Amino acid sequence: MTSRRSTTLFVAAVASAGMLFAAPASASSSQSTAPAPSADAAPADACYTWSDELKEGASGDAVRQLQIRVAGYPASGEDIAIDGEFGPATKAAVKRFQEAYGLSGSGVADQATFDKIYELQDDDCSPVNFDWSELNNCNSDWSGGKVSAATAKANALVTMWKLQAMRHAMGDKPIVVNGGFRSVSCNDNVGGAPNSRHLYGHAADLGAGSQGFCALALEARNHGFGEILGPGYPGHDDHTHVAGGGGKSWSAPSCGM
């Protein structure tokens, strides 16, 4: 997490504001470019500002940006597509996000929903409790993986928002992140699998923290992580590995999973 914006309380006054900056949009695309706000409109947030409420049937970049922020609220064992289409799964995720923060669980992304996201979001689009550097201790430019640097960074952003949801569900206790994105050379140096999801920016390796490896592995099932490897799985007795990116592979035998 980096600098916090100086205020998040201008939202109601700028409901018609456009987007100032669009964060990386999806696991399969590079950064989005949003139109500049009009001269007389102030953005509600230094990262991204929504101008209208969103509900089922909506589509476009505003929906995609919302999906990134609620990616950690799918049905248990499921994942949310970051595709810019506000369908039933996105509606259900928005509802879970709202209920997790004591908002009205309508499934419609309204101003109160956006205000909560602004509160949880730093100026660089990362969630307040996680930092880009935690998800990349390999290099400074996200290059050298199995996807472009922009895509790796976009995928890591989704991973951070999933971790933010998981952290909140576990009592807002800090989650220790020991690593994330790896270039091919970094992956080789640590003996990673040739097609490790670290190479795509989808993965994070978690330390025990105050929760313990098993609690982390079990909770990750509820937050969009299709790959969870923990104690009892070869090479994972000293960390819990979580990753998105599709598919489902959970194994932490010592945790009963």
Side-chain angles (χ1 to χ4, degrees):
M1 60 197 148
T2 57
S3 62
R4 296 291 297 149
R5 54 192 174 282
S6 59
T7 179
T8 59
L9 300 180
F10 295 123
V11 177
V14 294
S16 61
M19 295 169 285
L20 176 63
F21 172 77
S26 71
S28 60
S29 64
S30 58
Q31 288 182 319
S32 303
T33 302
S38 61
D40 60 350
D45 185 81
C47 168
Y48 189 91
T49 296
W50 285 270
S51 57
D52 298 294
E53 74 174 26
L54 298 170
K55 59 185 177 181
E56 191 169 3
S59 63
D61 191 60
V63 174
R64 187 161 46 245
Q65 296 295 334
L66 175 65
Q67 288 169 328
I68 292 169
R69 277 71 175 180
V70 300
Y73 292 91
S76 181
E78 301 298 326
D79 198 2
I80 297 169
I82 312 297
D83 59 5
E85 299 293 331
F86 199 126
T90 298
K91 178 180 179 179
V94 170
K95 186 174 187 291
R96 292 186 193 98
F97 172 87
Q98 292 167 331
E99 291 172 344
Y101 285 99
L103 305 177
S104 175
S106 64
V108 174
D110 56 9
Q111 194 59 57
T113 305
F114 299 142
D115 287 350
K116 177 52 67 173
I117 293 174
Y118 299 149
E119 181 183 328
L120 294 171
Q121 179 166 266
D122 274 326
D123 291 352
D124 64 0
C125 302
S126 64
V128 293
N129 296 117
F130 295 92
D131 189 270
W132 289 103
S133 62
E134 293 178 278
L135 271 291
N136 182 359
N137 54 18
C138 171
N139 59 37
S140 61
D141 61 5
W142 301 83
S143 66
K146 290 290 185 77
V147 292
S148 70
T151 297
K153 192 172 183 181
N155 292 343
L157 182 62
V158 176
T159 300
M160 282 194 280
W161 280 99
K162 289 180 178 182
L163 289 172
Q164 183 71 30
M166 184 169 153
R167 183 188 195 275
H168 185 59
M170 301 184 80
D172 281 313
K173 297 177 181 178
I175 289 179
V176 177
V177 180
N178 291 327
F181 168 75
R182 298 174 190 160
S183 66
V184 173
S185 61
C186 286
N187 192 60
D188 289 346
N189 288 340
V190 299
N195 204 37
S196 168
R197 295 193 190 181
H198 288 283
L199 295 163
Y200 300 84
H202 286 304
D205 288 337
L206 309 180
S210 63
Q211 301 92 340
F213 295 131
C214 285
L216 291 165
L218 295 171
E219 183 61 36
R221 299 175 297 180
N222 302 319
H223 300 287
F225 292 111
E227 184 173 87
I228 306 170
L229 305 174
Y233 186 83
H236 289 72
D237 287 337
D238 61 351
H239 69 284
T240 293
H241 165 95
V242 296
K248 185 174 177 180
S249 178
W250 298 346
S251 183
S254 297
C255 307
M257 185 175 75

